Amino acid sequence: MAYLHVQTSHAFSQFTTKFPQFRKSYFRRNFSCSNSYFSPCKVKRPYTSVMIVPTGVGAAIGGFAGDALPVARALASVVDCLISHPNVLNAAMLYWPMPNVLYVEGYALDKFAEGLWALQPAHQNKVGLVLDAAIEPELRQRHLQVADAARASLGLPVLEYTVTDQHLGVEKWIDEKTGQSTGRIKHPDSLLRAVQSLVDQSQVNAVAVVGRFPDEDENDMNDYRQGIGVDTLAGVEAIISHLVVKEFQIPCAHAPALLHIPLSQSLAPKSAAEEIGYTFLPCVLAGLSNAPQYIVTNSDIVERSCIFSSDVDSIILPADTFAGSGVRAFANKKQNQPLIIAVEENATVLSDTPDRLNIETVNVSNYWEAIGVIAAHKAGISPYSLRKNKIDNIPYRSSKPIKSTKLPFSANLAGTAMRDGIYDRV
């Protein structure tokens, strides 16, 4: 039976007797509902999942213009907290706000997995904008208009922008051995000086970077626009954001500056988000505006509100991308090892399968199955109990010591206590 319970004091009773007009409003705001069937307190901690789709590896889902975002949205509706990275959550001109999703840069995600950094959720970050000096005046103005629109229409805290003192000199290519995209910037010191100026003078704690990328021939982009092949921009984008995050330990994401390309009459839907505007910056500003801050775990400022790698319950990633340092760090945990889910349908150019790396996983065909596994895991149910003939008879393990008959210290202690009559009263 449910009942209303109001906690009052003698002084309060005297006060409301003298001023009865306050009693009704107080009762309306200060009661608790108790029910014998429903406990008012939670008995389980929040369920946290990590979703990874590596950048620049031609992932069938997540290798294009935000095409893994629907998976993230579906997963976020099942778990309490989802941790993912810009390659999953960015969609050029498009984005989707999700209050229980943490936008974490790839290098920071690796450090988090290794237990070296914690994530501190933020209500609002102070975002700075770095523009490559190589960006032409008109194209620069387009990006500044995006920043102003984000401030005026979305209320995002984009404080100031700066321009690098040199052209960054972005170069990109496909690695012949691995098939994944990579690259470099010729003047990383110029980028770091620009970020440093915003951090020191504007006190920003998150940075969006826009580098001028080499324009591609329309024919060279045809495969990507048709939804096949590898994103040639993605690899060096990750290199740029890694550089900033490693140096300053603040959230960072990158958006490439490119000249607008001619309209295509034949375009794959999963590449279309990059064709509908002049910049890719909107999703980056939205993501950085409330991205979690990165806290070194052995520092003096780690707070109870921080999220640690030990809080992660499950990880989901393509079945051939298990060589990343973050994944291996989660897999090698001695305690609180999360459930690791390998999605076979999301094929990439890599061949780093869990079998080759001796990593124990739950293998699923697609993200439909993966989300079902996570839903079962969150409910405290063995995912295999939902499958036909996947539960065998419970195995037997002998209680006899394997190498020695000597009892462990705790057992010896208990035996001594019983001999001495300490447990006689139990």
Side-chain angles (χ1 to χ4, degrees), residues 29 32 69 108 118 156 164 167 181 187 213 234-235 256 259 295 348 389 402 405 411:
R29 293 193 306 270
S32 62
L69 187 54
L156 300 186
T164 60
H167 291 192
S181 69
H187 300 290
F213 273 52
L259 294 179
I295 308 296
T348 76
N389 299 330
I402 297 175
T405 57

Side-chain angles (χ1 to χ4, degrees), residues 5 12 27 49 61 100 137 160 180 202 269 279 384 401 406:
H5 173 68
F12 176 77
F27 282 2
S49 188
I61 302 171
N100 63 329
E160 291 184 345
Q180 62 190 101
S202 306
T279 82
Y384 294 106
K406 184 178 180 180

Side-chain angles (χ1 to χ4, degrees), residues 115-260:
L116 301 177
W117 290 5
L119 305 177
Q120 185 178 47
H123 291 296
Q124 184 187 78
N125 292 323
K126 299 176 181 178
V127 183
L129 176 61
V130 174
L131 300 178
D132 187 352
I135 300 174
E136 298 86 342
E138 182 177 339
L139 190 55
R140 178 189 299 179
Q141 192 60 37
R142 291 288 187 187
H143 285 84
L144 293 177
Q145 288 173 348
V146 169
D148 284 340
R151 296 165 67 218
S153 299
L154 302 180
L156 300 186
V158 185
L159 299 190
E160 291 184 345
Y161 81 95
T162 191
V163 179
T164 60
D165 53 22
Q166 287 180 285
H167 291 192
L168 293 182
V170 178
E171 296 180 343
K172 58 184 178 63
W173 61 84
I174 300 295
D175 188 304
E176 295 181 356
K177 293 182 178 180
T178 64
Q180 62 190 101
S181 69
T182 185
R184 65 170 183 168
I185 56 174
K186 292 182 178 179
H187 300 290
D189 53 333
S190 179
L191 172 60
L192 296 179
R193 285 194 296 271
V195 175
Q196 187 74 64
S197 69
L198 288 173
V199 170
D200 290 345
Q201 300 177 34
S202 306
Q203 283 77 54
V204 304
N205 58 0
V207 174
V209 179
V210 181
R212 181 63 167 96
F213 273 52
D215 292 310
E216 292 186 296
D217 183 87
E218 188 177 353
N219 294 327
D220 294 337
M221 296 182 61
N222 189 58
D223 282 351
Y224 180 78
R225 297 176 88 181
Q226 295 304 314
I228 56 177
V230 175
D231 181 358
T232 59
L233 309 181
V236 69
E237 284 196 275
I239 290 171
I240 291 171
S241 64
H242 290 359
L243 176 65
V244 174
V245 172
K246 182 178 181 180
E247 181 70 21
F248 296 96
Q249 297 175 9
I250 60 175
C252 176
H254 179 271
L258 297 162
L259 294 179
H260 206 56

